[in-house]
Amino acid sequence: MSILSDFLKEVDEGYTVIATSGRVVYANEFMVRRGIIKEEYEGKPYYECFRVLTLISAVAEGLSEKRRIATSFEHEEVEYQADVFPAGDGTLLRLTDITKFKRYERSKKEFVANVSHELKTPIAIIKSILETIIEEEKDEGKRRLLERALKRTEDLRNIVEDLLIITKLESGEEKLHKKMLNAKELVSVVFDMLREIAQNINVELINEVDENTKVYADEDKLNLLLLNLVDNAIKYNKEGGKVVVKARTEKGYVILEVSDTGIGIPKEHIPFIFERFYRVDRSRSRELGGTGLGLSIVKHIALSHGGKVEVESKEGEGSTFRVYLPQSI
Ligand SMILES: Nc1ncnc2c1ncn2[C@@H]1O[C@H](COP(=O)(O)OP(=O)(O)OP(=O)(O)O)[C@@H](O)[C@H]1O
Ligand SMILES: [Mg+2]
C-alpha cells in the first residue's frame, strides 16, 4: 500500500476516491497542488471540496448512475480531461493535464487552415491557365497531357475546398442558414446528382423518405452531408447493390439513415473513419478517387447543427449511417 501511495504522490495525474456517501476518502498531491480540491478534504462531502463545478456535476452523475463519465474543463489556464469510474463502493476520479495536447491540436488545425488558404489562389490560377492552353492546343497528344494535368488540378482544388469547409465548421466561423426543408426532396436532389455514377456500376438508389418529413437545417450543408454519404454508399457497394435512404423522428431528433448493401467496414476501422484522410483500404480508395475527407465533413456538419452521426456495419454485408439532427428551431 505504501508503494502505491508513494507512486500516487509522484505521478503527474490527479486521483480522488469518493465513497458512496459522497465523502472524499483520498486525493493525491496533484489534486491539492493544482488547486482543484481544498487541502482539508478528508471525510468531507465532495461538493464542498472541489473548486471546479464541472467536477462536482461529473462526480454527482458518476455516483448516481454508476457508470463511466468523461468530461473536460479549464482551470487556471490549464486544460484537463476528467474521467469518473465506478470503483468498489464509490467512485474514482482521474484528472489528466491535456494542455499540451490541446495546444498541439490547435496548431495542427491552424497549420492546415493556413496551408489550405494559401493554396487556394495558386491552384485557381493554374487551373485557368491550363483551360486556356487546352482550348488553343491543336496537337492531340499534348492536349491529352494537359487534360490530365487539369484533372489533377481539379482534384487538388477539391481537397483544398474540403479542408477549408472542415476548418470553417470546426472553428464555428461558418454561419449556418437554417430553414425548414423537405427531406424527401433533398434526397432526390442528391440522387439526381449521383444517378449516373450509380447506373455505371448498376447500383439502385431508393428514396424511402416520407413526403411529410421536415428537417430544420442549412440546405447547402445538408446537401453536402447527404452527397458524401450517398457517394460512399454507391462507391463502396457491390455490382447490383442497393442504397436506401430513410428518415424518422424520434425524441426531438430527425434521423436520416443511409444504408447500403456494400462491402461493409471492418470493426477495428470504425472508430477512425470520421477522421481526416482515414481510408480503410488505401489502394481501393485511391482507385475510386477518394481522399478520406468525406466522412469528416459529414461529422462536422452534423455537429455544427447540434447533432451527431453513427454507423453500424457488417463486413461483406453493408453499412448504415445515421445522422441525428435536432428537430426544434
Ligand atoms: N458506406 C461505406 N461502406 C464501406 N466503407 C465505407 C463506407 N463509407 C466510408 N467507408 C470507408 O471509410 C473511409 C472514409 O470515408 P470518406 O468518405 O471519409 O473518404 P473517401 O470516400 O475515401 O474519400 P472522399 O469522401 O474524401 O472522396 C473510406 O475510404 C472507406 O474505406
Ligand atoms: Mg467519401
Side-chain angles (χ1 to χ4, degrees), residues 151-184:
K151 168 79 182 65
R152 293 297 175 160
T153 314
E154 276 163 359
D155 291 346
L156 204 55
R157 185 200 52 185
N158 290 342
I159 295 174
V160 167
E161 266 172 15
D162 282 355
L163 281 172
L164 284 171
I165 289 172
I166 295 173
T167 305
K168 279 192 197 152
L169 285 167
E170 230 170 22
S171 65
E173 206 183 294
E174 183 83 358
K175 286 272 161 294
L176 298 180
H177 303 286
K178 291 193 207 169
K179 55 182 180 189
M180 274 302 175
L181 303 166
N182 182 303
K184 194 177 182 81

Side-chain angles (χ1 to χ4, degrees), residues 227-229 231-232 235-236 290-295:
L227 197 64
N228 273 296
L229 288 180
D231 177 60
N232 284 347
K235 216 159 61 167
Y236 304 108
T291 13
L293 289 171
L295 286 179

Side-chain angles (χ1 to χ4, degrees), residues 266-283:
K267 219 168 49 215
E268 63 275 22
H269 289 277
I270 287 187
F272 309 107
I273 55 167
F274 294 97
E275 284 176 17
R276 298 177 198 190
F277 298 112
Y278 194 87
R279 287 164 301 169
V280 173
D281 181 344
R282 280 175 182 268
S283 56

Side-chain angles (χ1 to χ4, degrees), residues 20 48 60 72 184-185 323:
T20 329
E48 285 177 16
S72 58
K184 194 177 182 81
E185 277 171 25
V323 179

